[in-house]
Amino acid sequence: MVDGSRAAGRLVVADDVSEALAAGRAVVALESTIISHGMPHPDNVSTALACEAAVRDAGAVPATVAVIDGTLRVGLADDEVERLGRADDVAKVSLRDLGWVLSGGGLGATTVAATMHAADLAGIRVFATGGIGGVHRGGDLDVSADLTALGRIPVAVVCSGPKAVLDVARTLEALETLGVPVIGQGVDVLPEFWTRGTDLAVGTRSDDAARTAAILEAHWGCGLTTGAVVANPIPVGHELDRDMIAAAIESGLAAAATRGIRGREVTPFLLTHVAAATDGRSQVANMALVRDNAAVAGRIAVALATLHGSTEARVGSAG
Ligand code: PSU
Ligand code: MN
């Protein structure tokens, strides 16, 4: 394990991850809030491990990010993923929470925002998740720090769009305001998590990993320091019925309002409600899309490593 130079001992990068980075090989970061707050045990653990396997199959090294006993870790052992997936007292850690969760010495699951931060410190440019946070529906100005992070941190987030419980159109506008490119992976419209989307145009379309890597390389190569969204739709055959999911979201939003669910509780509450209201179908879809995002992210990371001139990029030997 090595310490990140800018993080004074709070950041620890796993050996296989730091070796791959030092050799210029492909690495993909994975988040952990989806493990602790996104799905129930044991599907959360099997999905997290399946995402790591998908990244490896693509020829890249997976680096799941979490706070373990007071350290910000990049790259977890399988038993640590299991521990995160089983414990019921894991803190949901976004940017503002890192200081207090790290100093408290406990377990924490990093959101997209906090995972982007850790990935950037470690030197990882590609990250896969299910869906990003964004602008919530309604008038109370609940805007995820995921957008703040995308506007500041040079990491590409491969996802199936914003979570559909959000105001997806406003989220897309906010990304434009922040100067964050939204690249449709094989699509012209923004995917909406459990469905492949309808009418919100992405900034540009890319039909393969090499093209996406070239866009990212040029984005950062011209001096921009923002993140990027690579929007990869849920695989055909796994998408849910649009009306069913819309009804489940509506009833979830009503239940959240009735029970006074606020702040960081909102997203986990809605995901749990939608899973119950769809007889678990939303969760099966979530598992399928996040695994596919991990595979796509692996291919993009390999293409990016190849662009950076490493002939070892396709070896994918680390385990
Ligand atoms: N996508 C999923 N499941 C999740 C999340 C995203 O499929 O649990 C998590 C991510 O970690 C994301 C967070 O960063 O929800 C956003 O939470 P909030 O809206 O409170 O910022
Ligand atoms: Mn919020």
Side-chain angles (χ1 to χ4, degrees), residues 31 33-34 38 92 111-112 131 136 144 146 163 193 267 271 286:
E31 61 140 317
T33 296
I34 189 168
K92 174 177 167 181
T111 64
V112 168
H136 282 260
S144 176
D146 292 357
K163 277 162 296 174
F193 202 63
T267 297
L271 292 175
N286 197 343

Side-chain angles (χ1 to χ4, degrees), residues 39 193-194 234 238 240 244-245 248 270-289:
M39 315 180 174
F193 202 63
W194 295 295
I234 184 169
H238 286 280
L240 297 186
M244 176 185 69
I245 209 73
L270 290 175
L271 292 175
T272 304
H273 179 98
V274 170
T278 60
D279 289 324
R281 275 177 285 211
S282 69
Q283 202 203 299
V284 173
N286 197 343
M287 288 158 60
L289 69 84

Side-chain angles (χ1 to χ4, degrees), residues 92 96 134 136 141-145 262-267:
K92 174 177 167 181
R96 61 165 190 180
H136 282 260
L141 228 88
D142 179 353
V143 179
S144 176
R262 308 291 290 268
R264 67 176 162 202
E265 312 293 334
V266 172
T267 297

Side-chain angles (χ1 to χ4, degrees), residues 198-214:
T198 46
D199 56 356
L200 297 168
V202 292
T204 191
R205 171 180 177 136
S206 161
D207 283 312
D208 54 45
R211 173 70 189 139
T212 304

Side-chain angles (χ1 to χ4, degrees), residues 2-5 7-13 71-74 117-119 121-122:
V2 297
D3 290 341
S5 55
R10 287 291 184 184
L11 183 84
V12 174
V13 181
T71 302
L72 182 55
R73 295 274 304 278
V74 178
H117 171 71
L121 282 179

